[in-house]
Amino acid sequence: MSTPTISDPSPSIWVAADAIDRARPRSRQRQLGASDTACERRAAYKLHGWEPTDVVISPAAMLGTYIHEGLTTAARREFGWLVEKKVADAAVRGSVDIVQLDQVTARQLPRRMRPKVPAEQNTVEDIKTRTTYRWDETVRYGATAPELRQVMTYARLLNTEGFEDADGQRVLARLGPIRVEKIRLRFICRDNGEEFIQEIPYDAEIAEEAVWWLQRVSETEHPEQAHRDFLGPGIDAVCDYCPFATACWGASANGRPVQSNIVHNRADVAEQLADYVAAHRQWSEADRKKKFVRKAVDAAEEGRYGPNVLGWAGEDKTEQKPDVRAMIELFDTLGASIPTVPDADRMVRALMVAGIAVPMRNVVKRAPRRIDVRVARE
Ligand code: SF4
């Protein structure tokens, strides 16, 4: 039998995956893409041509890319759907995951480009991956505001411009603008493959809001004029993996969180505390309501009630713990010495009863700093 030898550990395969990801055309784009409509500040860094300040490897995002590629390839081969098609106007560009054409539109294309089953209405589909951690929230609330802006932008570009006149899709471009009426968001759980489909009509208002959003970013002269849509590293995961995180928040100094870099004077502190108090008020109202509901449904059995499922956690459980009395008897039987721990409380009491001063020493208590905000009194 061969003996295992200790050698240099194998490099992480995510290093290779990251190198491939960085070489993708979209990673080098300067023009804003529809998928950049999540954080104004981040979009502004990109638009103003800033070099990324942070090297981020996000295995979760790369897994999402792989799942995308696999699923869109399968949809193209099996369903004949149009996948990864380019759309653009002067302000924004994007690559639409899937377009499922209706029969009337599909008839204008060569037979090989028609869907096997046409859609009832021209449909734009966007595939999103999620962890189980965010799955409940996804099924309950569907797409987020930035996700809706992104997919409505694709639909608007198809409605107004049609497919971009680019290599590999000239035939599609000749269709001209196509009327998209339906949006399909397909969510895939990265952990177990579960699928959830949200279908909604095209919403011109959200599409216009996205135009306005992009316009605001393009009007900035410097990225710092753009609004931060997230609360920074350690709070919002999007910031943990943002290539401009250091440009946006600065570097951590003296072990303090980077968010502290944006508070410079008393007025800034006052503004933050006002936000804290407002947020606390909302939180305490919500907490009261949750406590009430917890009491109100106390007698209800686990199970489905309307759109929600009730479960009970934290009931009494039996767990194994060392039996100290039995152990003492066992040690005694074995003739082993029983470990003893000095009982400080008992010793203090004994010294006090004997009228002897209790010797003291200074001990630094380490505890996380907690914020305490109260109303100021005159
Ligand atoms: S760190 Fe967060 S707030 Fe700043 S640009 Fe990136 S995503 Fe936006």
Side-chain angles (χ1 to χ4, degrees):
M1 196 165 72
S2 65
T3 319
T5 53
I6 297 171
S7 57
D8 287 345
S10 169
S12 166
I13 201 151
W14 291 116
V15 174
D18 180 58
I20 303 287
D21 195 56
R22 276 165 201 282
R24 285 173 196 270
R26 66 166 169 71
S27 302
R28 294 197 299 253
Q29 278 175 11
R30 283 283 155 81
Q31 188 189 6
L32 289 184
S35 58
D36 291 318
T37 56
C39 174
E40 269 189 38
R41 177 71 67 96
R42 182 165 160 168
Y45 284 122
K46 194 167 171 183
L47 190 74
H48 290 283
W50 281 45
E51 285 299 322
T53 49
D54 299 71
V55 177
V56 283
I57 297 181
S58 169
M62 283 187 275
L63 275 178
T65 306
Y66 297 155
I67 293 170
H68 246 87
E69 285 173 355
L71 294 181
T72 52
T73 303
R76 176 172 56 79
R77 288 201 194 143
E78 293 302 309
F79 301 156
W81 291 351
L82 301 169
V83 308
E84 302 295 351
K85 296 301 172 201
K86 296 189 187 89
V87 285
D89 67 5
V92 66
R93 59 187 310 110
S95 174
V96 192
D97 281 350
I98 290 172
V99 181
Q100 187 185 3
L101 296 175
D102 65 16
Q103 198 159 23
V104 176
T105 315
R107 273 210 203 105
Q108 300 171 52
L109 290 172
R111 201 172 283 278
R112 65 185 164 79
M113 297 180 79
R114 297 180 197 164
K116 288 187 183 158
V117 178
E120 282 176 17
Q121 300 160 307
N122 286 325
T123 302
V124 160
E125 173 172 327
D126 205 23
I127 298 177
K128 299 285 178 206
T129 56
R130 290 279 202 273
T131 57
T132 39
Y133 173 63
R134 289 189 61 201
W135 193 249
D136 254 24
E137 167 198 311
T138 300
V139 173
R140 200 180 286 274
Y141 304 114
T144 61
E147 287 168 343
L148 288 177
R149 275 203 291 269
Q150 179 184 354
V151 71
M152 295 300 170
T153 298
Y154 294 144
R156 176 184 65 79
L157 291 171
L158 282 168
N159 280 333
T160 54
E161 314 285 326
F163 292 95
E164 190 184 9
D165 192 6
D167 284 350
Q169 55 176 59
R170 305 254 181 241
V171 180
L172 292 172
R174 282 202 282 276
L175 288 173
I178 65 165
R179 190 177 154 86
V180 173
E181 288 176 274
K182 198 196 272 185
I183 303 294
R184 187 189 299 134
L185 287 129
R186 187 183 302 271
F187 296 94
I188 304 290
C189 180
R190 275 201 293 272
D191 305 287
N192 58 21
E194 205 177 320
E195 186 180 26
F196 168 68
I197 296 171
Q198 178 189 11
E199 288 192 332
I200 46 177
Y202 169 62
D203 188 326
E205 234 172 77
I206 299 178
E208 274 313 303
E209 186 199 308
V211 172
W212 169 73
W213 195 100
L214 288 162
Q215 205 174 333
R216 255 193 347 226
V217 175
S218 68
E219 282 167 2
T220 58
E221 285 165 9
H222 190 278
E224 284 184 10
Q225 292 169 347
H227 173 74
R228 291 183 182 94
D229 280 281
F230 296 93
L231 299 179
I235 299 178
D236 285 321
V238 61
C239 299
D240 291 330
Y241 293 102
C242 176
F244 301 104
T246 304
C248 180
W249 297 95
S252 164
N254 305 322
R256 295 215 184 279
V258 292
Q259 286 83 349
S260 67
N261 290 339
I262 65 165
V263 173
H264 304 290
N265 49 42
R266 296 180 67 84
D268 290 344
V269 176
E271 192 183 326
Q272 295 301 326
L273 293 184
D275 281 356
Y276 185 95
V277 171
H280 181 75
R281 186 168 186 185
Q282 283 182 8
W283 172 84
S284 56
E285 267 309 298
D287 194 49
R288 271 182 68 235
K289 185 71 190 164
K290 279 173 69 183
K291 282 180 178 152
F292 171 79
V293 173
R294 164 65 189 82
K295 289 180 188 299
V297 302
D298 193 69
E301 298 283 323
E302 290 190 336
R304 183 177 178 144
Y305 298 88
N308 297 305
V309 176
L310 172 67
W312 292 108
E315 301 273 25
D316 287 352
K317 274 191 219 139
T318 307
E319 62 178 51
Q320 291 266 307
K321 281 201 155 185
D323 182 337
V324 178
R325 187 180 293 265
M327 283 197 295
I328 291 171
E329 279 171 20
L330 188 60
F331 270 58
D332 214 21
T333 313
L334 296 171
S337 60
I338 297 168
T340 55
V341 179
D343 186 338
D345 288 345
R346 237 173 109 185
M347 290 164 82
V348 168
R349 274 198 306 275
L351 288 173
M352 287 169 74
V353 169
I356 301 170
V358 177
M360 306 292 268
R361 69 188 174 100
N362 289 334
V363 179
V364 179
K365 277 191 156 182
R366 303 248 171 247
R369 281 173 84 213
R370 286 177 50 226
I371 187 168
D372 179 19
V373 183
R374 297 166 199 217
V375 69
R377 303 206 187 275
E378 293 305 321

